[in-house]
Amino acid sequence: MKQRIITGFIAAALFLPIVIFGGFPFIIVTYILATIGLFELLRMKRLRAFSPEGVISFLLLWALLLPETYAHWLESLNVTKSEWLSLAALLLLVYTVVTKNAFTFDEAGFLFLSILYVGFGFYYFMEIRFIGLAYMVYALFTIWATDIGAYFIGRAWGKRKLWPEISPNKTVEGSIGGIVCAVIVAIVYQLCTNLFDSFGILIVMTVVLSVFGQLGDLVESAFKRHYGVKDSGNILPGHGGILDRFDSLLFIAPILVVFMTVVL
């Protein structure tokens, strides 16, 4: 626990100023985080990063991450992100033939879905910051409140297992407690910032984000259990890898951006 706290403070001291500053430094850091995240998935599957399939994957990831501000780079080539996705899928499929199934269809599918998972998650993570720092803080507070509430309430009153086959320590009581804590923190944040038009919208949005944040955590747990690893990586002592820390955010970021685009 001591190592976990120390790592958390150091990471926050380095990361939060960049989030607050935003701009190009934030884009660079997001690219780095996403690249490490995809590398962690490749390592789980025992695929080599420095290989034709690895190069294709990282190039596509970087193209997907390109913010709208710099989208003219793609437009100058007359190629959209959807077309890049299609091209990469075809290249991965062709590579299964070239390698005579040494690189399999299953591995191609794993890579493609991993690129979408990491790429779109971190892309919308950037988009939240571009929309406004206040929304980024709200997203982070929602995740932190959910995690902390679920942990302590689960330890104190948790009896019914939430999903023992995937994450044996999580409980139904902890999950509900995490949602309640997220709503309480969101209400306090709304009183301080007046971020949303009404408390009704705030509460519904917070409940949705808290639930999907927990689902994101469970998805990452399912990955690790399937591939027989304790953590996605070891870059953050006491915390694991980048995906261990950003699993919830990768799920809620697209939902929050869509919500802000459609409702606000």
Side-chain angles (χ1 to χ4, degrees):
M1 179 61 73
K2 181 180 178 181
Q3 185 183 52
R4 187 180 181 91
I5 293 172
I6 292 173
T7 301
F9 273 113
I10 294 174
L14 295 174
F15 182 65
L16 289 180
I18 296 173
V19 172
I20 293 170
F21 183 80
F24 195 68
F26 179 70
I27 294 173
I28 294 299
V29 169
T30 304
Y31 262 78
I32 293 171
L33 293 174
T35 301
I36 296 172
L38 182 58
F39 176 79
E40 290 174 351
L41 283 171
L42 263 65
R43 187 169 59 178
M44 281 190 208
K45 184 68 171 172
R46 292 183 172 85
L47 293 172
R48 293 174 296 124
F50 299 102
S51 62
E53 64 270 25
V55 171
I56 293 171
S57 300
F58 284 110
L59 288 176
L60 179 57
L61 173 69
W62 298 334
L64 285 181
L65 287 172
L66 197 63
E68 288 299 321
T69 309
Y70 301 98
H72 62 275
W73 290 355
L74 288 179
E75 292 171 1
S76 64
L77 298 173
N78 293 319
V79 180
T80 66
K81 288 186 178 182
S82 297
E83 289 167 339
W84 278 114
L85 281 170
S86 300
L87 178 60
L90 292 175
L91 288 175
L92 289 173
L93 292 175
V94 168
Y95 191 57
T96 65
V97 176
V98 172
T99 62
K100 300 178 181 179
N101 271 337
F103 175 72
T104 67
F105 182 82
D106 289 344
E107 290 169 335
F110 172 87
L111 277 179
F112 194 72
L113 192 56
S114 296
I115 294 163
L116 294 180
Y117 168 54
V118 175
F120 280 119
F122 277 109
Y123 170 79
Y124 284 109
F125 172 63
M126 283 191 290
E127 284 298 302
I128 293 174
R129 178 61 188 88
F130 296 151
I131 292 171
L133 178 60
Y135 291 102
M136 175 63 78
V137 174
Y138 164 70
L140 294 175
F141 277 178
T142 299
I143 292 170
W144 294 340
T146 300
D147 287 348
I148 293 171
Y151 177 78
F152 285 105
I153 292 174
R155 282 178 63 91
W157 293 292
K159 294 180 180 179
R160 291 171 292 179
K161 297 296 183 181
L162 179 65
W163 217 309
E165 298 85 1
I166 299 298
S167 186
N169 294 327
K170 288 182 171 58
T171 63
V172 173
E173 293 81 3
S175 176
I176 295 172
I179 296 170
V180 172
C181 288
V183 170
I184 292 172
V185 169
I187 290 173
V188 174
Y189 188 65
Q190 172 74 3
L191 292 172
C192 296
T193 63
N194 197 30
L195 189 64
F196 294 101
D197 292 335
S198 71
F199 278 98
I201 293 175
L202 170 79
I203 292 171
V204 170
M205 191 67 244
T206 303
V207 170
V208 170
L209 293 183
S210 182
V211 169
F212 274 88
Q214 293 184 61
L215 287 173
D217 191 3
L218 286 169
V219 166
E220 179 63 19
S221 296
F223 287 162
K224 292 185 291 186
R225 185 164 291 273
H226 178 72
Y227 291 109
V229 297
K230 182 177 182 297
D231 296 311
S232 65
N234 54 16
I235 194 171
L236 300 171
H239 291 264
I242 293 300
L243 293 181
D244 291 312
R245 289 300 88 208
F246 285 84
D247 49 10
S248 296
L249 193 58
L250 293 181
F251 261 57
I252 75 166
I255 296 172
L256 181 56
V257 171
V258 170
F259 171 80
M260 289 187 291
T261 302
V262 174
V263 178
L264 298 185

